Amino acid sequence: MRRSTFARMMSGPLLAAGVALTLAAPVSAAPAAPTVAQLSTAQAKLDNAAASRPSSVTGWYVDQASKSLVVSVHGNHAGVAKWAENLGAGAVTIEKVAEVPRPYWWNSIGGQGITSTTGGACSQGFNAISGGTRYVITAGHCTALGGTWSGTGGVIGTAAISSYPGNDYGLIQVTGPEVAFTAWVDRYTAGSDVTITGSSNATIGMAVCRSGAASGWTCGTVTATNTTVCYPDGCVSQMIRTDLCAAPGDSGGSLVTNPSGSASGNEVHAVGLTSGGTGNCTTYYQPITEALAAGTATLVTDS
């Protein structure tokens, strides 16, 4: 049966309308990810306001992979996003961390090894302070090599004073914030560290011990004072001579009184800094008192 004229007239518009109603609505484009420059600017805003950070915030960084500024939080993160937003840093990603970061402090201990970026390998003598500035005292022929000096756990700093020849002492100014000063000298396999309680001038017959990275801890006797010793590159005067054995790499190491003479058995006085010697266990030491006076420094002690 033929459809009516009315039906033929209506079928077109209705079909067209039905098709039109099924078309998807326009979708807004996703916001563009921030650029590296924008993220760096946001990071700088947090850097400038670091002192105002919530106590739970342990740091922040730009995550290149996710194109976001990540704020690390230990514990409660409430208010952290708002803190960043108020600084103009925009939206941030909160990252929860299991531990609070901490510096890896290392103890500066007499007799342990130190090395320079110029290739020098010596031992540290004692720790000292002058006007709030911290120093590691060692041999002058070591610090004269220049470069940046490091200890067993990180950077110490660069030499502030070097006196060699004539004398043989050097003071390395401590710039590494992770260096923790002690009043200790390493006894290596001979026992636990000894503690510096003061300083003494050497006397003939004094019982002494020395500590160094190359040959550890050895003990003996002062055989002479006010001695001049001449090395190939110059002479050094007013030195302490002993019958102790030492080896290359011990230079700058600690010469102390023998701890067996103290009440506790582990307290000593600083006496000198290892300078050099001969193969028959005759060794020479720079008196510590002269080195301290040169830097108007005070020995770090436990007294």
Side-chain angles (χ1 to χ4, degrees):
M1 183 176 66
R2 296 178 63 187
R3 290 185 296 171
S4 66
T5 303
F6 177 79
R8 290 195 305 272
M9 292 174 59
M10 294 300 297
S11 62
L14 284 175
L15 180 59
V19 172
L21 288 175
T22 62
L23 293 176
V27 178
S28 299
T35 64
V36 172
Q38 289 171 329
L39 290 170
S40 297
T41 298
Q43 182 179 17
K45 291 179 179 179
L46 299 191
D47 290 343
N48 293 333
S52 72
R53 71 189 186 281
S55 60
S56 61
V57 173
T58 64
W60 46 87
Y61 64 95
V62 172
D63 185 353
Q64 299 284 357
S66 64
K67 295 293 189 295
S68 63
L69 178 58
V70 179
V71 178
S72 303
V73 176
H74 181 260
N76 187 5
H77 67 277
V80 171
K82 190 65 175 177
W83 166 73
E85 182 183 342
N86 289 342
L87 293 172
V92 297
T93 299
I94 303 298
E95 172 191 61
K96 292 186 177 181
V97 296
E99 295 182 2
V100 175
R102 66 189 187 281
Y104 288 130
W105 297 94
W106 65 275
N107 292 327
S108 177
I109 299 174
Q112 294 189 348
I114 56 175
T115 57
S116 170
T117 52
T118 59
C122 293
S123 299
Q124 61 185 89
F126 305 97
N127 296 319
I129 298 177
S130 176
T133 300
R134 303 184 300 163
Y135 297 96
V136 167
I137 306 179
T138 187
H141 71 266
C142 293
T143 56
L145 296 173
T148 298
W149 288 87
S150 296
T152 56
V155 173
I156 300 172
T158 57
I161 296 175
S162 291
S163 183
Y164 178 81
N167 302 299
D168 196 5
Y169 58 78
L171 278 69
I172 302 171
Q173 182 174 337
V174 177
T175 55
E178 72 281 4
V179 181
F181 261 20
T182 74
W184 305 331
V185 171
D186 198 330
R187 202 159 21 169
Y188 289 91
T189 58
S192 59
D193 297 342
V194 293
T195 302
I196 303 293
T197 58
S199 61
S200 292
N201 292 316
T203 58
I204 297 173
M206 176 185 281
V208 290
C209 300
R210 52 149 298 280
S211 179
S215 54
W217 175 269
T218 58
C219 296
T221 304
V222 173
T223 58
T225 59
N226 197 26
T227 297
T228 297
V229 56
C230 293
Y231 300 124
D233 49 356
C235 298
V236 183
S237 60
Q238 298 181 327
M239 300 288 275
I240 303 164
R241 188 179 71 185
T242 77
D243 59 4
L244 298 171
C245 297
D250 286 331
S251 288
S254 322
L255 179 70
V256 298
T257 55
N258 194 312
S260 63
S262 68
S264 66
N266 70 343
E267 293 180 347
V268 296
H269 274 199
V271 178
L273 306 162
T274 306
S275 175
T278 63
N280 64 353
C281 291
T282 297
T283 47
Y284 300 93
Y285 301 82
Q286 162 71 53
I288 186 60
T289 50
E290 187 176 10
L292 291 169
T296 61
T298 301
L299 200 66
V300 174
T301 63
D302 184 13
S303 59

